[in-house]
Amino acid sequence: MRILVTGAAGFIGSHLCEKLQSLGHEVVGIDNLNDYYDVQLKEMNAEDLAEKGIAIYRIDLNDDLKEVFAKPFDYIYHLAAQPGISASTSLKEYVDNNVYATQNLLEAVLQYNPNLKSFVNIATSSVYGVEATVDEEVPAKPVSFYGTTKLAAEQLVLGLQRTGKLKACSIRLYSVYGPRERPEKLYTKLIENLYYDKPFPLFEGSVKHERSFTYVGDIVDGLAAIIGKEDVVNGEIINLGTDEINTTAEGIKRVEEIMNKKLIIDHQPPRKGDQQKTAAVIDKARRLLGYEPKVSLKEGLQEQVKWYLQKFTK
């Protein structure tokens, strides 16, 4: 199969590219390598993919995409987005990169790739709101610009599916971590600050937050399982995460144990838009995709620490 992955130089996208290629598929990536976080990290991921023969188009999804679709794809995994909950990111940036970019990609698909087997939209548990502890039938109640615009993007995709113009599904991910995790995310930042003995900014109340911390390898296994099941998942929204729940405090303790160091805490005021609790309800993923997360938090964090030490402490 020929597969397009958007956001291919990012954390999850790069792992997905490698997974799909390992299954024998022809994989093409697209990424604008924006500067939301250190572009060097994305360049590093792109280099890892290039070594495996996976090409990345360096283009913005809001631009003309005709060149990308010169040869048709069987599947598209749409991961590219303006991520995170950040006070410094404007609503316009979220709308441009999550809503308009998705719409432009969809229009290109309809024009240049009408026989696509499936458009797999990558959504987020943030659409559920303050507590993401429910199944896919419960109405979304986002409380952040990120969650709101990702929900809008999801509905753009599913709107085309409902009108019969596109086969598509949307996968809502839960608290993904592992090697290549973004630098401002919990565990990469935690590992860095522990290694260099730097104070770690901890938002008030966040140590009690409960999360379905899900290892990236489990996530990409679930995403890859969609191939060949496009009729089964057509029109579906599916949660993808783990039902192993840990608090932020427990996550910090695991990394401290692995690195045999004690974290220096820099206490910060509460952060607006933070979820209090996520607990992935993954019955549908199990039923439709045969999905079963296998990696424990300790095992996954050991891999992430090993990756960080190999890449950034030579």
Side-chain angles (χ1 to χ4, degrees):
M1 298 293 175
R2 191 164 190 267
I3 303 173
L4 177 67
V5 177
T6 74
F11 165 38
I12 303 171
S14 59
H15 283 284
L16 180 60
C17 287
E18 291 173 339
K19 175 66 178 181
L20 294 172
Q21 189 195 55
S22 75
L23 295 173
H25 302 296
E26 179 187 351
V27 181
V28 175
I30 182 170
D31 203 299
N32 67 354
L33 278 80
N34 74 14
D35 60 359
Y36 175 75
Y37 61 90
D38 190 350
V39 175
Q40 280 191 313
L41 299 182
K42 298 179 185 181
E43 295 279 7
M44 191 184 300
N45 295 342
E47 288 172 9
D48 288 345
L49 296 181
E51 288 176 6
K52 294 177 170 65
I54 299 171
I56 293 182
Y57 284 93
R58 301 195 178 194
I59 187 172
D60 193 293
L61 285 178
N62 281 303
D63 293 338
D64 186 348
L65 301 176
K66 183 177 181 179
E67 178 187 359
V68 178
F69 288 93
K71 195 176 169 186
F73 298 99
D74 297 294
Y75 296 86
I76 293 174
Y77 285 85
H78 177 39
L79 290 87
Q82 182 70 45
I85 299 169
S86 170
S88 62
T89 304
S90 68
L91 175 58
K92 183 180 185 304
E93 288 174 280
Y94 284 111
V95 171
D96 286 347
N97 294 320
N98 295 346
V99 181
Y100 290 144
T102 298
Q103 181 61 21
N104 195 53
L105 175 61
L106 290 169
E107 289 173 359
V109 171
L110 295 179
Q111 183 174 358
Y112 303 119
N113 207 142
N115 296 318
L116 190 71
K117 290 180 183 294
S118 186
F119 186 104
V120 183
N121 180 67
I122 307 303
T124 170
S125 65
S126 291
V127 304
Y128 290 117
V130 175
E131 294 199 353
T133 60
V134 295
D135 67 21
E136 298 87 348
E137 300 302 314
V138 174
K141 298 178 181 178
V143 295
S144 64
F145 290 161
Y146 172 61
T148 300
T149 54
K150 286 293 285 180
L151 179 61
E154 178 179 85
Q155 289 304 307
L156 287 173
V157 174
L158 295 179
L160 290 178
Q161 186 278 329
R162 288 190 287 266
T163 55
K165 296 177 182 177
L166 189 71
K167 282 190 174 181
C169 61
S170 190
I171 313 299
R172 294 175 175 172
L173 306 186
Y174 281 72
S175 303
V176 189
Y177 74 97
R180 300 179 185 157
E181 185 184 53
R182 301 197 316 266
E184 89 283 4
K185 295 288 283 182
L186 174 62
Y187 289 119
T188 297
K189 192 170 185 65
L190 185 57
I191 294 164
E192 177 188 344
N193 287 35
L194 270 169
Y195 184 82
Y196 291 106
D197 295 312
K198 297 192 300 185
F200 180 81
L202 198 62
F203 298 102
E204 184 182 329
S206 63
V207 290
K208 297 179 181 178
H209 290 173
E210 296 179 354
R211 293 286 184 267
S212 290
F213 293 119
T214 312
Y215 187 63
V216 66
D218 286 332
I219 288 292
V220 298
D221 284 349
L223 294 176
I226 292 169
I227 295 173
K229 298 186 177 77
E230 56 272 7
D231 291 332
V232 174
V233 302
N234 189 36
E236 299 287 354
I237 294 170
I238 303 172
N239 293 337
L240 211 59
T242 179
D243 44 17
E244 175 190 342
I245 310 302
N246 290 274
T247 64
T248 301
E250 288 169 336
I252 291 172
K253 183 180 178 182
R254 294 285 183 277
V255 181
E256 287 179 328
E257 290 170 348
I258 293 166
M259 298 184 70
N260 195 28
K261 297 190 79 171
K262 187 69 178 174
L263 187 65
I264 303 166
I265 303 293
D266 174 21
H267 295 281
Q268 298 283 321
R271 183 169 63 169
K272 184 180 178 181
D274 259 344
Q275 290 179 300
Q276 303 299 310
K277 181 176 181 179
T278 69
V281 179
I282 53 175
D283 297 352
K284 184 187 277 191
R286 286 185 166 119
R287 186 175 73 252
L288 299 184
L289 299 174
Y291 172 73
E292 194 62 55
K294 300 180 178 67
V295 181
S296 70
L297 182 61
K298 182 180 179 180
E299 292 168 329
L301 287 174
Q302 286 172 331
E303 289 301 309
Q304 187 162 346
V305 169
K306 183 168 77 172
W307 162 78
Y308 183 88
L309 296 178
Q310 286 176 344
K311 289 289 188 180
F312 301 106
T313 64
K314 293 178 182 178

